[in-house]
Amino acid sequence: MDFYGMLVHMHSGLRWVILLLLIYAIINAARSISSGKYLKKDKMVNLFTMISLHVQLLIGLALYFINARGRVDFSEGWMSNAMSRFYGLEHIALMIVAIAIITIGRSRAEKKLEGTRNKHRAILMSYTIGLILILLSIPWPFWRWASFGAGLG
Ligand code: HEM
């Protein structure tokens, strides 16, 4: 497998780690709201989730600029082509917004907000919104806009 193929493989596999970590962090925040504590364990779960997203962002940026499979294609009429619109705009834009919301939510929980209840709430809100956006912009094989090729998921 070439270098680009390895990057796609990592980007594709890391999705599952990210989804599991996000779900775990969300359940953890929801269950901890009334605990009156913001433990080291909570800090670590929220931090690792965010780090995995930042690693995914870096791999994604490398894929976007190397673009060895030509999926990002701004030639004429790219907006009316489902695949070039998806990879050139929808996937990158929604993922960056999701990662920004999660990063800001975690930073508020860690630094700005007082009170453990507010910290867990900030995580719950921002990680849930992020998860929804991420689920919407993964090229699932069954998604309408990903129907251009088999085996994309
Ligand atoms: C949580 C964030 C992200 C997730 C879960 C995610 C997930 C995925 C998945 C599942 C694929 C299909 C891989 C395959 O063909 O097997 C993909 C492709 C791709 N992603 Fe992402 N992605 C994320 C963020 C990003 C970001 C931020 C960028 C750009 C800056 C990006 C750029 C790309 C590109 C260019 C491809 C197409 C690669 C190719 O087939 O040539 N991704 N992504």
Side-chain angles (χ1 to χ4, degrees), residues 4 11-12 15 56-57 60-61 69 71 87 91 95 152:
Y4 191 83
H11 194 68
S12 183
R15 140 191 45 178
Q56 185 74 325
L57 173 65
L61 282 171
R69 291 184 185 169
R71 294 229 155 115
Y87 284 112
H91 184 66
M95 290 305 194
L152 262 176

Side-chain angles (χ1 to χ4, degrees), residues 103-147:
T103 304
I104 294 167
R106 197 197 75 94
S107 155
R108 276 168 51 80
E110 289 293 327
K111 297 187 188 122
K112 243 185 143 183
L113 295 172
E114 300 286 339
T116 55
R117 184 179 284 264
N118 289 336
K119 288 179 188 293
H120 287 301
R121 259 207 200 125
I123 296 292
L124 180 61
M125 288 289 291
S126 58
Y127 280 41
T128 303
I129 295 170
L131 174 61
I132 293 169
L133 292 177
I134 289 168
L135 284 173
L136 284 173
S137 42
I138 285 177
W140 300 112
F142 45 84
W143 254 196
R144 175 179 55 83
W145 56 75
S147 60

Side-chain angles (χ1 to χ4, degrees), residues 73-89:
D73 172 14
F74 294 114
S75 57
E76 216 189 316
W78 69 277
M79 282 284 267
S80 35
N81 177 301
M83 186 175 80
S84 44
R85 191 180 58 240
F86 178 76
Y87 284 112
L89 183 67

